[in-house]
Amino acid sequence: MNMNKILLKLAFFVVCVCSMTACFEDEGNYDYTPLPVFYVDTTGVQTEYTVTQHSTMTMPSHLVYDGNKSELTYAWSIYEASSGQYDNPADTLCTTEDFNGQISVDPGTYVLEFSAIRPDGYKAFMQYELKVEGIVGVGELVLYERNGQVDIDIVKSTRQIGSLESSSVLRNLYTNMNAQYPLRGTPVAISVASDFVSIFTENDGMRVFGDDLRHMYTFDEMFLTPPSTRKVEGVFTDSGTDAVVNDEQVYVNLLNWSGGLPLYPSPKVLMNSSYKADGHIAPGGAGAMLGYDKSQGRFLFATMYGSEFEACTATGMSGLDKDLLAFQSGYNYYVYAYMEDHVSKERSILVMQTGRYENNHLPLTDLNLQSCPEIADAKWFTNNSLSPVLHYATPKSIYRVTFDVATSTVTPDATPSWTAPDGEEITLMRMTTDAGIDVSDSPANKVLFVATWNGSEGKLYYLDVNVTSGVVTSTPIEVFTGFGKIYDIKFKRR
């Protein structure tokens, strides 16, 4: 009986629910309005940009929206990539849909963020990596002279800077910023540190800020005690050391001093003796350096922080009746000293194994170059650090030579690898050792820089080099024109 009552109540409940549902039947008269499409279309969009400080930049939003765009709120914001938006609040640069504004933040790497916000608070956004360079920025600094005036241009090549859309040259950077400090005399070299650039001629020099090449120190201000004679013969920059050879003495600045103190204190001395330094200096391992005392034909060693030179004592490192023509590190981390005999004028390479932290450099072999064509006229030499190949250049041609340290043999090509066009003479040849910026294929050991002069215009050729064989492609990768007579080039990374 109780079970029948329960079933009766359950049936009554079901009938009531069905009746209520019939009373509230949906007539189907509602209008359903779909939300408008609202997003940033990133398909094929470039996400990394490199711009110059204070330059004007334009960029489309790539926003897709089916609604009324006038109801949206826009913002283009920027903040340092290393800190994050919340550690370093973003600055709003622009409040229009497409970006059109000036980038005036300090040089560095930033996140540029676009955002669009609907009235209901829904947000669509996109982030870009923005590398802001100083007015000078990254590129190959080119030191040249024309009509008695020394200047610097910078080449920005896509082969060295992958984020660029096209190559370009910025002109007259030094004279534009330093009209009251003209540099005179034959250029010698550029020294590039992290925050500054030093420029030297035979009897003058200037240290400038790296971001725009503005005057920092004059020649005398670069020395703790200005030298009585201005006779610059060479410049050297390594990972921890910056040195200049002036009047046969070596002045060394430790780069961790930065720009706050005079560049060069008193010159290094040689223990228990004196020396007359050649203008060439090579890395001696771990921030140390190797020099050459031309007065006694011996090599000199100094540690990064040492104030004194030591004469290298290994057999074959002293008592040489030779001049030093070039001094480079290269294949197998050896040091290659290109020498010319005082009497016979024969040319050779003394190959040395560096002692790294200590004065224990060892000569491995003497490679005789006399079988190489036109070697007596060679003025520039360069090593490939990844293979046993070297190149040398006369004023007209470049030659390739393979060598074997173990057997002390050289195998030169009989014909030039590259010859300057008619009317042009080579004024500089150098293999790039820098890996470049944002490039998938590093140019190190793969690009040979060759500068030429035709009497009125300097040119800079980028030649492709096979990293294993050293074979030079005859057609240049790029050619940059419009310089004076080029004396030095150095890659600037920031």
Side-chain angles (χ1 to χ4, degrees), residues 188-205:
V188 174
I190 313 168
S191 174
V192 179
S194 58
D195 298 317
F196 60 85
V197 175
S198 299
I199 310 158
F200 289 96
T201 69
E202 288 182 338
N203 51 25
D204 200 0

Side-chain angles (χ1 to χ4, degrees), residues 140-169:
E140 198 76 37
L141 294 176
V142 181
L143 175 65
Y144 63 86
E145 180 271 333
R146 178 164 38 205
N147 299 326
Q149 180 171 284
V150 178
D151 214 335
I152 288 180
D153 293 350
I154 187 167
V155 173
K156 296 177 178 291
S157 168
T158 55
R159 186 64 182 91
Q160 295 173 286
I161 311 169
S163 57
L164 295 179
E165 295 183 5
S166 61
S167 299
S168 62
V169 182

